[in-house]
């Protein structure tokens, strides 16, 4: 490990970050209090609303609309934050500063400015492209990400739709984005985009398998696909100080976590598996021919998937919401953004893997190991009679 | 092997070869100016019509073993320089990894229709350097698979490094 | 090149080779180089580099410039290591003039050239990382380079085209506290090399991308006249600083790193090790820097006698040589630059054949060319 000597400004930065953490934690606890007050207000209002002549259906639809808008609001804000955070994290890892001026303090409004710029850009559809396929592709890449957020457990009782098949739902719907990528590649009318799109699709499809298989040991223990069940299974502690998170399960948890993390990084097309999107050497990526809002949809989709994968990792492996003192949603967000930080860290440290080595890696290494993991987990479950 | 031994080996097999003497002192020269300089390597003059045999002996003879072609260039003597006549000189510089000796070979060609066999089959390093000499001087290399312009654009009129090159104003001139 | 139809044996299925143009502008930061590739699926069957986009006609310009004026032009051949270019021009002219540079001048020249070697190899390290996909080492390398360029700016006034090494010595002696700054820079950079090794050299993904591709065999290296770290990566230990010392290099103790296999990783590794050796050389030169005047007495108008000289030195990219013909005037009669990148690039035609498309950039980057030198 290289521990460099800390300069004055670095010590100051660490101090500032610690202070921010404390203030943030305090605010979160205050909001938790506020949440209790809001719940009391809601309980007071509810009987009054129930007496009003509003049809059942309307209130159900109103409920759904409120949930969807909350989710879209959350996704937009978190994506904006993540883009800014990536630029800052990558800058500091590369011994430079990153955005500093837009909006004043450390350029926090940079993403908003970029978003406005992208909206104002001209929308170009290439001549040789099939315009409807070209237009629909970004939608098909972004919408599945948004749909999957509906089943993420943001905390106790903070889940939009508590499906019985939570985990399966996420994997099934996020697989639809592969179709969007292929459509983007083919609909661009460009030989190289199509090759790039096909490569990205092959990579996505191949890495889905270890991703799904690495979850199976967890399902063996929990016995249910509901994400809230999985999160609740991990509450409590062993020996008083080790949380019952799946990542701490000896051998099984670690192998599953590593395989799931690597597959998630590959699924979201991030370095070291970013042959599809990087300024890759010869073949341009599948989203070259996109400009303006459509490009920003791809961009948004990528970060939405990153947070989705991190949130899923948190819910499955890190106890998703369990933790002392702070409200559950704060713990969920902290853990998720921790995994997001891991994703960012990987991108700016590792070089890119070559396409054929990438495929070899999943088929010949990750998949057999996930099977081995299932065997071990099954044996343990049988032995312990859990 | 030192210069005279290398020359002896070459001379016995190639009677047409001759050693180039160092440049002579000019007749009327002020005393404080330095005398003419040439590197202490062996400089030989080869004959164009037996150049390929010469090159093969230079490379393949085990006592010589010049396997490394350091440099291949040409010079255009138009204005009489010292006591030389107008001609092209193609200049080769060899080095041997085994014996660690060096050699300069000059091949003189007439200025109109200069033609010399290519040594690309013996030293592939000559590939682009011969193309550059062709591009700059117009010297044709027989046996070179791709003797085309390399630095100037295809269709450039004239041979730039010749002393009598006159630049034809083209669309890049204001 | 015309495409050919390929018959795949055993099936009546015809595929055509595709011609792919790695155009003059591409993201790998090597300059304006064009490589025309013929590919069959994923495998390359033929490669032809196309150069000349940066040709500025230095050899023709030389015939109309006095010897000191050519120094300015010499900076621009290999612009990443301009001190070496200045030095080779001065060596060639000093041979013709038969003057000897005092010891202090030689040691100053060695310090500058070795610092420039570190700077040039840092650029290679950074850009090679980007070619492979690692974006961070580039910025770390350039942060180190900024310190070297600051040192050069203090000594010569410029950051890229130094024009510091002059005929007969150097432009001027060192400023007052330059040696202290140089020493603190050397102390700063030594732990960085450890970081680079951990970050990139021993990184399994990087090794996976660069080992066993682009292998140059020893026979090929010699017959294609490859020099520099490319040759040493193949296992042939030929370094002009050791074998034919110039500028008192025999006074310094340093090793010549040599690779084993001749693949891209070996060439990369040789350059990283060379940086460490250069640090050693600079330290020794600073420790033993003699006092005195760094410049020899050179006439006001430099008019070498009739003759020809060939001087060569070990530039960061290979053996850089100048063949200079003088007719007794103040302008050279003929100047030829033996540019290492130009000659090293020919082997690309051979080693790309049979490689996969994704490896082209890794192989091209490992040869480390600078287009200013290729095209002159």
């Amino acid at each position: 490990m290289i521990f460099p000597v800390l300069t004055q400004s670095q010590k100051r930065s660490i101090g500032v970050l610690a202070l921010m953490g404390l203030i943030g934690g305090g605010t979160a606890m205050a909001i938790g209090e506020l949440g209790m007050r809001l719940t009391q207000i809601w309980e007071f209002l509810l009987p009054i609303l129930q007496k009003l002549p509003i049809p059942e259906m309307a209130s159900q639809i109103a409920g759904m609309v409120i949930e969807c808008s909350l989710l879209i609001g959350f996704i937009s804000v978190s994506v904006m934050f993540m883009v800014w955070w990536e630029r800052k994290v990558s800058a500091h890892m590369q011994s430079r500063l990153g955005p500093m001026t837009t909006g004043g303090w450390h350029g926090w409004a940079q993403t908003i400015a970029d978003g406005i710029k992208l909206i104002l850009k001209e929308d170009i559809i290439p001549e040789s492209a099939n315009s409807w396929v070209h237009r629909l592709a970004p939608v098909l890449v972004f919408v599945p990400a948004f749909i999957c957020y509906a089943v993420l457990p943001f905390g106790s009782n903070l889940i939009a739709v508590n499906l019985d098949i939570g985990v399966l739902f996420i994997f099934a719907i996020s697989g639809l984005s592969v179709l969007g990528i292929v459509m983007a590649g083919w609909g661009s009318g460009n030989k190289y985009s199509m090759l790039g799109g096909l490569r990205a699709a092959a990579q996505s499809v191949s890495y889905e398998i270890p991703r799904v298989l690495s979850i199976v040991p967890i399902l063996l223990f929990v016995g249910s696909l509901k994400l809230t069940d999985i999160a609740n299974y991990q509450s409590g502690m062993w020996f008083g100080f080790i949380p019952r998170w799946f990542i701490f399960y000896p051998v099984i948890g670690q192998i599953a976590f590593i395989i799931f993390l690597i597959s998630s990084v590959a699924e979201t097309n991030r370095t070291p598996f970013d042959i599809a999107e990087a300024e890759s050497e010869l073949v341009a990526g599948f989203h070259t021919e996109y400009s303006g809002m459509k490009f920003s949809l791809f961009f948004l989709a990528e970060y939405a998937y990153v947070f989705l994968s991190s949130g899923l990792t948190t819910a499955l492996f890190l106890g998703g919401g369990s933790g002392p003192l702070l409200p559950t949603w704060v713990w969920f967000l902290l853990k998720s953004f921790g995994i997001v930080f891991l994703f960012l860290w990987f991108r700016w440290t590792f070089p890119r893997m070559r396409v054929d080595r990438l495929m070899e890696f999943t088929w010949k290494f990750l998949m057999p190991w996930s099977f081995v993991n299932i065997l071990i987990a099954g044996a343990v479950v049988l032995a312990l009679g859990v | 092997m030192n210069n005279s031994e290398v020359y002896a080996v070459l001379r016995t097999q190639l009677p047409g070869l001759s050693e180039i003497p160092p440049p002579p002192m000019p007749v009327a020269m002020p005393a404080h100016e330095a005398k003419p300089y040439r590197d202490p390597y062996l400089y030989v003059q080869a004959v164009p019509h037996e150049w390929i045999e010469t090159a093969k002996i230079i490379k393949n003879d085990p006592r010589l073993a010049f396997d490394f072609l350091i440099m291949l260039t040409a010079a255009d003597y138009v204005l009489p320089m010292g006591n030389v006549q107008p001609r092209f000189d193609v200049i080769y510089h060899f080095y041997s990894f085994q014996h660690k000796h060096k050699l300069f070979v000059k091949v003189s060609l007439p200025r109109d229709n200069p033609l010399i066999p290519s040594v690309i089959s013996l030293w592939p390093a000559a590939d682009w350097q011969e193309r550059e000499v062709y591009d700059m001087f117009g010297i044709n290399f027989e046996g070179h698979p791709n003797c085309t312009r390399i630095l100037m654009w295809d269709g450039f009129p004239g041979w730039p490094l010749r002393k009598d090159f006159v630049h034809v104003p083209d669309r890049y001139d204001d | 090149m015309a495409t050919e139809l390929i018959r795949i044996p055993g099936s009546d299925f015809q595929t055509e080779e595709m011609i792919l143009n790695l155009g003059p502008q591409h993201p790998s930061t090597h300059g304006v180089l064009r490589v025309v590739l013929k590919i069959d699926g994923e495998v390359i069957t033929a490669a032809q580099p196309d150069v000349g986009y940066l040709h500025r006609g230095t050899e023709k310009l030389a015939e109309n410039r006095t010897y000191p004026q050519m120094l300015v032009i010499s900076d621009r051949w290999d612009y990443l290591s301009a001190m070496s270019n200045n030095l080779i021009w001065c060596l060639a002219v000093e041979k013709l003039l038969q003057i000897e540079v005092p010891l202090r001048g030689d040691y100053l020249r060695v310090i500058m050239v070795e610092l420039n070697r570190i700077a040039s190899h840092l650029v290679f390290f950074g850009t090679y990382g980007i070619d492979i996909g690692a974006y961070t080492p580039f910025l770390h390398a350039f942060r180190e380079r900024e310190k070297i360029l600051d040192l050069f700016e203090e000594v010569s006034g410029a950051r890229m085209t130094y024009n510091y090494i002059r005929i007969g010595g150097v432009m001027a002696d060192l400023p007052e506290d330059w040696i202290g700054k140089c020493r603190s820079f050397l102390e700063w950079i030594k732990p960085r090399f450890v970081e680079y090794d951990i970050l990139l050299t021993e990184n399994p993904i990087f090794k996976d991308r660069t080992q066993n591709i682009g292998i140059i065999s020893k026979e090929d290296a010699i017959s294609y006249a490859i020099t520099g770290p490319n040759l040493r990566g193949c296992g042939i230990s030929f370094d002009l600083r050791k074998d034919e010392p110039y500028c008192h290099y025999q006074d310094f103790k340093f090793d010549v790193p040599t690779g084993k296999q001749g693949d891209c990783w070996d060439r990369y590794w040789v350059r990283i090790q060379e940086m460490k050796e250069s640090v050693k050389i600079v330290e020794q030169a600073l420790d033993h820097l003699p006092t005195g005047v760094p410049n020899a007495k050179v006439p006001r108008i430099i008019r070498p006698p009739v003759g020809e000289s060939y001087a060569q030195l070990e530039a960061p990219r290979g053996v850089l040589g100048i063949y200079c013909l003088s007719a007794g005037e103040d302008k050279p009669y003929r100047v030829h630059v033996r540019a290492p990148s130009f000659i090293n690039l020919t082997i690309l035609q051979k080693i790309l054949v049979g490689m996969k498309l994704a490896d082209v950039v890794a192989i091209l980057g490992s040869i480390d060319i600078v287009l200013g030198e290729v095209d002159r």
Side-chain angles (χ1 to χ4, degrees):
Chain A
M1 276 302 280
I2 300 281
F3 266 137
V5 173
L6 293 175
T7 64
Q8 269 297 88
S9 74
Q10 282 170 326
K11 288 185 197 153
R12 217 175 332 132
S13 305
I14 292 180
V16 167
L17 283 170
L19 192 63
M20 279 168 56
L22 278 173
I23 296 180
T27 329
M29 284 172 52
I31 294 180
E33 286 296 313
L34 188 60
M36 265 198 332
R37 301 274 175 254
L38 281 175
T39 321
Q40 284 174 341
I41 298 177
W42 177 249
E43 275 162 8
F44 175 66
L45 278 178
L46 195 58
I48 303 175
L49 286 173
Q50 277 174 338
K51 296 223 183 75
L52 291 174
I54 304 174
E56 185 76 18
M57 183 65 84
S59 63
Q60 267 186 357
I61 295 180
M64 282 197 271
V65 166
I66 293 177
E67 280 167 359
C68 287
S69 9
L70 277 175
L71 274 179
I72 290 217
F74 174 76
I75 297 179
S76 316
V77 171
S78 73
V79 166
M80 268 200 274
F81 170 72
M82 272 196 284
V83 173
W84 172 83
W85 201 34
E86 162 140 45
R87 288 173 72 161
K88 283 307 243 186
V89 162
S90 69
H92 283 277
M93 281 183 185
Q94 292 170 354
S95 137
R96 54 186 180 95
L97 288 174
M100 289 296 282
T101 50
T102 342
W105 180 82
H106 279 281
W108 62 269
Q110 182 67 47
T111 326
I112 305 177
D114 284 339
I116 297 177
K117 175 202 77 171
L118 278 172
I119 295 178
L120 292 174
K121 280 206 173 184
E122 177 191 353
D123 187 34
I124 305 174
I125 300 183
E127 187 74 36
S128 55
N130 184 326
S131 65
W132 277 109
V133 171
H134 187 88
R135 284 188 193 129
L136 275 178
V139 172
L140 228 78
V141 174
F142 174 67
V143 168
F146 167 57
I147 295 179
C148 294
Y149 273 74
V151 287
L152 266 190
F154 282 88
S156 58
N157 285 335
L158 277 176
I159 183 169
V161 183
N162 201 0
L163 288 180
D164 282 339
I165 53 161
V167 172
L168 184 63
F169 180 79
I170 293 187
F171 288 137
I173 301 291
S174 60
L176 280 181
S177 67
V178 176
L179 182 61
I181 295 178
V182 175
M183 280 172 66
W186 180 78
S188 296
N190 176 356
K191 177 163 34 155
Y192 302 124
S193 292
M194 164 112 159
L195 282 175
L198 289 178
R199 276 189 187 170
Q203 176 191 319
S204 284
V205 164
S206 312
Y207 274 89
E208 266 175 35
I209 299 182
R211 198 169 178 228
V212 174
L213 288 177
S214 59
I215 301 300
V216 173
I218 299 181
L219 304 176
L220 283 175
F221 276 95
V222 177
S224 146
L225 285 167
K226 266 184 163 174
L227 272 167
T228 38
D229 284 352
I230 300 178
N232 292 335
Y233 190 84
Q234 297 176 67
S235 52
M237 309 253 203
W238 290 313
F239 313 118
F241 67 95
I242 305 180
R244 279 174 181 268
W245 296 347
F246 274 114
I247 192 176
F248 291 126
Y249 278 43
V251 179
I252 313 170
Q254 280 94 49
I255 298 183
F257 177 73
I258 292 178
I259 296 182
F260 187 74
L261 190 69
I262 297 180
S263 315
S264 299
V265 172
E267 277 292 301
T268 48
N269 281 335
R270 297 209 31 116
T271 324
F273 306 102
D274 67 342
I275 38 144
E277 71 169 26
E279 311 85 58
S280 77
E281 310 94 21
L282 291 169
V283 183
F286 64 87
H287 52 57
T288 0
E289 303 285 352
Y290 286 91
S291 60
M293 198 58 213
K294 297 203 199 116
F295 173 74
S296 69
L297 267 181
F298 275 119
F299 210 52
L300 212 82
E302 178 186 328
Y303 284 97
Y305 276 116
V306 165
F307 188 81
L308 179 71
S309 304
S310 318
L312 200 55
T313 316
T314 316
L316 291 169
F317 289 97
L318 295 179
S322 66
L325 282 184
L326 298 168
T328 48
W329 56 272
V330 171
W331 272 117
F332 180 82
L333 286 179
L334 276 177
K335 292 177 199 172
S336 300
F337 279 112
I339 305 281
V340 168
F341 181 75
L342 258 185
F343 273 57
L344 302 185
W345 200 359
F346 286 166
R347 178 171 182 186
W348 298 104
T349 315
F350 292 126
R352 211 175 297 137
M353 286 186 74
R354 212 173 61 188
V355 179
D356 57 332
R357 298 287 301 155
L358 207 145
M359 300 302 236
E360 259 185 56
F361 183 59
T362 179
W363 289 104
K364 295 188 189 172
F365 184 77
L366 287 184
M367 202 177 75
W369 272 103
S370 44
F371 277 126
V372 165
N373 203 20
I374 298 178
L375 275 176
I376 303 177
V380 167
V381 166
L382 274 180
L384 293 183
V386 167
Chain B
M1 289 171 66
N2 62 19
N3 289 352
S4 46
E5 288 167 13
V6 172
Y7 183 60
V9 169
L10 282 172
R11 189 62 207 264
T12 45
Q13 300 174 56
L14 298 156
L17 214 67
S18 57
E19 187 171 348
I20 304 177
M25 294 282 264
V27 174
M29 197 181 72
H32 65 269
E33 279 195 13
K35 61 186 206 331
Y37 174 80
R38 206 182 64 176
D39 283 325
Y41 309 132
L42 174 64
Y43 285 70
V44 287
Q45 179 87 29
V47 199
H49 61 260
E50 40 174 66
W51 170 230
I52 280 283
E53 293 81 37
T54 317
K56 284 194 185 131
I57 292 174
I58 290 177
K59 178 162 188 208
N60 297 326
D61 189 318
R63 292 164 293 178
L64 303 175
F66 285 108
D67 48 3
F68 197 75
L69 171 68
I70 298 182
M71 184 183 81
L72 198 173
T73 185
D76 180 13
Y77 298 95
V78 147
L79 313 163
M81 188 178 108
N83 53 0
V84 297
Q85 295 307 307
R87 63 171 199 263
F88 281 134
D89 259 1
V90 183
I91 304 162
Y92 298 79
H93 185 39
F94 298 106
Y95 175 71
S96 166
F97 268 97
Q98 270 186 313
H99 305 295
K100 303 205 186 324
H101 47 220
K102 295 196 181 191
L103 176 67
F104 264 95
V105 179
K106 297 197 184 185
V107 182
S108 296
L109 303 172
R111 285 200 85 239
D112 40 332
N113 195 18
L115 199 64
I116 184 173
S118 162
V119 293
I120 189 174
S121 50
L122 296 166
W123 298 280
D127 186 357
W128 279 16
Q129 303 190 67
E130 286 180 350
R131 280 180 72 185
E132 187 192 348
V133 167
Y134 165 73
D135 191 3
M136 295 286 129
F137 289 93
I139 298 176
N140 282 302
F141 286 87
E142 292 168 331
H144 192 288
N146 185 22
C147 194
T148 51
R149 284 195 182 271
I150 184 170
L151 292 175
M152 304 306 294
W153 70 87
D154 293 331
F156 180 81
W159 310 109
L161 273 175
R162 288 193 186 190
K163 292 290 181 184
D164 54 356
F165 170 71
V166 173
H167 170 61
V168 174
D170 52 30
R171 62 192 175 122
Y172 297 108
D173 291 305
D174 309 317
Chain C
M1 300 191 296
T3 54
E4 295 145 16
L5 292 176
I6 303 176
R7 291 214 94 91
I8 299 179
S11 63
D12 49 345
F13 183 77
Q14 283 179 349
T15 57
E16 213 178 86
E17 282 177 343
M18 183 166 88
I19 293 187
L20 190 66
N21 194 22
L22 188 58
Q25 299 145 330
H26 59 84
S28 308
T29 53
H30 294 294
V32 274
L33 169 69
R34 176 175 171 232
V35 184
V36 184
L37 297 164
K38 245 207 260 186
I39 52 179
D40 169 28
E42 188 80 13
V43 175
I44 298 174
T45 48
Q48 177 71 19
D50 185 15
V51 297
Y53 289 92
L54 198 50
H55 180 64
R56 293 152 294 178
T58 28
E59 300 184 359
K60 187 77 182 175
L61 282 174
E63 296 171 6
N64 256 326
R65 301 271 180 292
T66 60
Y67 289 89
Q69 282 176 330
M70 266 307 283
L71 260 177
V72 176
I73 298 187
S74 74
D75 273 325
R76 285 144 173 89
W77 297 326
D78 177 1
Y79 39 77
L80 291 176
S81 64
M83 291 284 190
S84 306
N85 302 352
N86 286 344
L87 180 57
I88 189 60
W89 178 251
C90 293
L91 285 177
V93 177
E94 282 156 16
K95 267 192 175 185
L96 278 176
L97 286 172
Q98 295 153 68
I99 57 178
E100 209 185 292
V101 177
L103 202 59
R104 184 174 171 93
D106 264 346
Y107 273 50
L108 284 179
R109 287 173 164 190
V110 165
I111 294 175
M112 297 306 157
V113 167
E114 289 305 316
L115 279 177
N116 212 340
R117 192 181 306 267
I118 302 176
S120 168
H121 284 324
L122 279 172
V123 174
F124 160 76
F125 167 71
T127 52
Y128 200 50
I130 291 194
D131 287 344
I132 302 290
Y135 303 105
T136 310
F138 176 74
L139 287 135
H140 292 233
F142 270 63
R143 174 191 59 185
E144 266 68 270
R145 222 173 98 88
E146 278 305 306
K147 297 190 191 289
I148 301 183
L149 294 184
D150 281 342
L151 286 172
F152 281 154
E153 192 176 356
E154 289 196 12
V155 123
S156 71
R159 283 163 56 95
M160 184 169 97
T161 50
Y162 311 114
N163 210 358
Y164 176 68
I165 299 181
R166 303 285 174 95
I167 301 175
V170 293
M171 173 182 105
D173 212 335
L174 299 172
E176 282 163 10
D177 45 353
W178 194 87
I179 297 185
K181 287 189 190 155
C182 190
R183 280 195 202 274
S184 64
F185 161 73
L186 292 173
E187 288 313 309
W188 154 274
I189 203 173
K190 282 187 204 160
R192 308 291 148 211
F193 290 136
V194 181
E195 270 185 37
Y196 298 157
D197 276 338
I198 296 181
L199 192 58
L200 211 52
T201 316
E202 299 299 327
N203 190 324
I205 303 181
F206 181 76
K207 279 183 143 173
D208 187 54
R209 280 291 293 264
T210 49
Q211 275 181 334
N212 296 322
I213 58 167
I215 295 182
I216 304 180
S217 64
K218 288 188 183 165
E219 297 75 32
D220 272 344
I222 296 182
S223 53
Y224 277 82
I226 308 286
T227 48
N230 298 330
L231 181 65
R232 293 194 277 281
C234 300
I236 303 175
S237 172
F238 178 68
D239 188 332
L240 278 182
R241 296 175 291 172
K242 286 271 195 205
D243 296 325
E244 293 168 25
Y246 49 93
C247 272
H248 287 274
Y249 261 104
Q250 60 267 25
D251 296 349
F252 303 110
K253 291 196 219 3
F254 59 99
D255 302 317
V256 173
T258 314
K260 293 190 202 49
Q261 260 186 309
D263 57 15
C264 292
W265 192 84
D266 275 328
R267 298 196 277 275
Y268 163 87
W269 179 85
V270 163
R271 290 185 177 101
I272 301 287
Q273 299 303 112
E274 271 185 13
M275 279 202 272
K276 301 178 187 168
E277 300 301 321
S278 291
V279 168
K280 277 194 220 163
I281 298 177
V282 177
E283 280 182 337
Q284 290 170 39
L286 284 175
D287 286 337
H288 301 127
L289 192 60
T291 50
V293 181
N295 287 16
K297 278 224 158 334
V298 175
R300 219 160 58 85
I301 300 181
I302 296 188
R303 194 177 278 127
V306 174
E308 54 189 289
S309 76
Y310 176 73
Q312 50 183 17
L313 60 70
E314 184 77 26
R317 299 207 147 63
V319 164
L320 175 63
I322 291 211
Y323 175 73
C324 185
L325 269 175
S326 158
E329 298 161 12
D330 58 345
K331 305 191 168 81
Y333 186 79
R334 167 90 175 104
V335 168
H336 174 72
V337 181
R338 189 246 182 234
S341 302
F342 182 66
I343 298 179
N344 287 350
L345 199 50
T346 34
I347 203 164
L348 204 67
Q349 296 165 116
K350 179 132 197 239
I351 56 176
L352 274 186
V353 176
M355 292 288 127
K356 294 206 177 43
L357 196 56
D359 291 327
V360 170
V361 176
I363 299 176
L364 179 59
S366 73
I367 303 188
D368 194 19
I369 54 170
V370 169
L371 265 297
E373 218 174 33
V374 170
D375 293 336
R376 278 154 286 142

